[in-house]
């Protein structure tokens, strides 16, 4: 019994570390800098995937591990940034939002239909749109208001530049979930068995 429990914990730790590392790898893809200090990157795909595949708790843990590594100074953010200064920059709202986005995406994914690969893909798109777009962007807007001293209306307007790309990331997440659901039908999407 304890060996099985230990194996499950080890498996969970590996999954958390894997999705934290995946988010770091997504930061290696070149970013597109915008004039107001927040770049367009692929890293926001990380919380979407973590939430869909690991569920709320482990998705949260994966993004918390990623951010702990960033805070420790590892250059894991797009453009090779890291350190505590990243949490006081205009991007900080989005960065903190990674944790919330993964948790919300996972929570929603665990409650939506996942019985077939198509259902899982549609659910992944919806969960990613709510957690990885709505919640992440809300957090990002708060960061822009706080650390770039922008009024709400300007922060909302500037944030709109990210929405089309993030909706494409939701579609990519859905395609990945579809492929995994077909190839590995026993994977507990959203952290829950079907």
């Amino acid at each position: 019994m304890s060996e099985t429990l230990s194996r499950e914990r080890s498996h969970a730790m590996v999954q958390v570390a894997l999705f934290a590392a995946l988010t770091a790898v997504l930061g290696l893809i070149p970013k597109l800098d915008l004039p107001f200090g927040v770049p367009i990157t692929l890293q926001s795909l990380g919380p979407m995937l973590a939430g869909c595949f690991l569920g709320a708790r482990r998705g949260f843990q994966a993004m918390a591990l990623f951010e702990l590594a960033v805070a420790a100074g590892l250059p894991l953010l797009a453009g090779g940034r890291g350190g505590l200064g990243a949490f006081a920059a205009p991007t900080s709202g989005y960065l903190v939002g990674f944790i919330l986005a993964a948790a919300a995406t996972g929570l929603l994914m665990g409650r939506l239909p996942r019985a077939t690969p198509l259902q899982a893909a549609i659910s992944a798109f919806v969960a990613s749109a709510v957690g990885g777009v709505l919640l992440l962007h809300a957090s990002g807007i708060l960061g822009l208001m706080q650390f770039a001293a922008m009024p709400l209306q300007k922060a909302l307007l500037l944030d709109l530049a990210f929405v089309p790309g993030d909706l494409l990331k939701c579609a990519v997440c859905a395609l990945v979930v579809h492929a995994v659901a077909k190839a590995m039908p026993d994977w507990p999407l959203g952290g829950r068995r079907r």
Side-chain angles (χ1 to χ4, degrees), residues 44-125:
S44 57
L45 180 59
M48 295 176 189
L49 291 168
C52 285
F53 284 104
L54 302 181
R57 190 179 83 221
R58 289 186 184 150
F60 177 95
Q61 291 169 344
M63 292 304 103
L65 176 61
F66 170 76
E67 294 195 11
L68 184 63
V70 169
L74 294 177
L76 302 179
L77 295 174
R81 297 172 298 124
L84 290 175
F87 294 90
T91 58
S92 64
Y94 296 98
L95 185 56
V96 171
F98 278 17
I99 296 173
L100 303 173
T105 300
L107 188 66
L108 194 51
M109 186 68 183
R111 286 168 171 67
L112 291 171
R114 306 173 312 282
T116 67
L118 181 59
Q119 283 181 342
I122 292 169
S123 295
F125 184 87

Side-chain angles (χ1 to χ4, degrees), residues 1-193:
M1 174 87 168
S2 69
E3 184 179 325
T4 302
L5 188 58
S6 177
R7 188 174 300 155
E8 287 176 17
R9 282 188 185 153
S10 297
H11 186 70
M13 288 172 46
V14 167
Q15 287 180 332
V16 165
L18 177 68
F19 278 87
L22 174 64
T23 304
V25 167
L26 289 169
L28 295 175
I29 298 166
K31 63 184 175 132
L32 175 62
D33 286 313
L34 297 179
F36 53 93
V38 181
I40 294 176
T41 75
L42 286 181
Q43 275 189 309
S44 57
L45 180 59
M48 295 176 189
L49 291 168
C52 285
F53 284 104
L54 302 181
R57 190 179 83 221
R58 289 186 184 150
F60 177 95
Q61 291 169 344
M63 292 304 103
L65 176 61
F66 170 76
E67 294 195 11
L68 184 63
V70 169
L74 294 177
L76 302 179
L77 295 174
R81 297 172 298 124
L84 290 175
F87 294 90
T91 58
S92 64
Y94 296 98
L95 185 56
V96 171
F98 278 17
I99 296 173
L100 303 173
T105 300
L107 188 66
L108 194 51
M109 186 68 183
R111 286 168 171 67
L112 291 171
R114 306 173 312 282
T116 67
L118 181 59
Q119 283 181 342
I122 292 169
S123 295
F125 184 87
V126 170
S128 296
V130 171
V133 178
L134 289 177
L135 189 58
L136 180 61
H137 285 249
S139 181
I141 289 167
L142 291 174
L144 288 172
M145 291 170 58
Q146 176 69 33
F147 295 104
M150 287 185 191
L152 175 61
Q153 188 173 9
K154 184 176 181 183
L156 279 168
L157 191 59
L158 291 174
D159 181 77
L160 287 176
F162 299 102
V163 173
D166 282 353
L167 288 174
L168 283 174
K169 292 173 200 169
C170 292
V172 169
C173 182
L175 289 172
V176 172
V177 165
H178 184 269
V180 170
K182 278 182 84 170
M184 301 172 68
D186 292 335
W187 186 286
L189 295 167
R192 296 176 183 217
R193 298 272 173 213

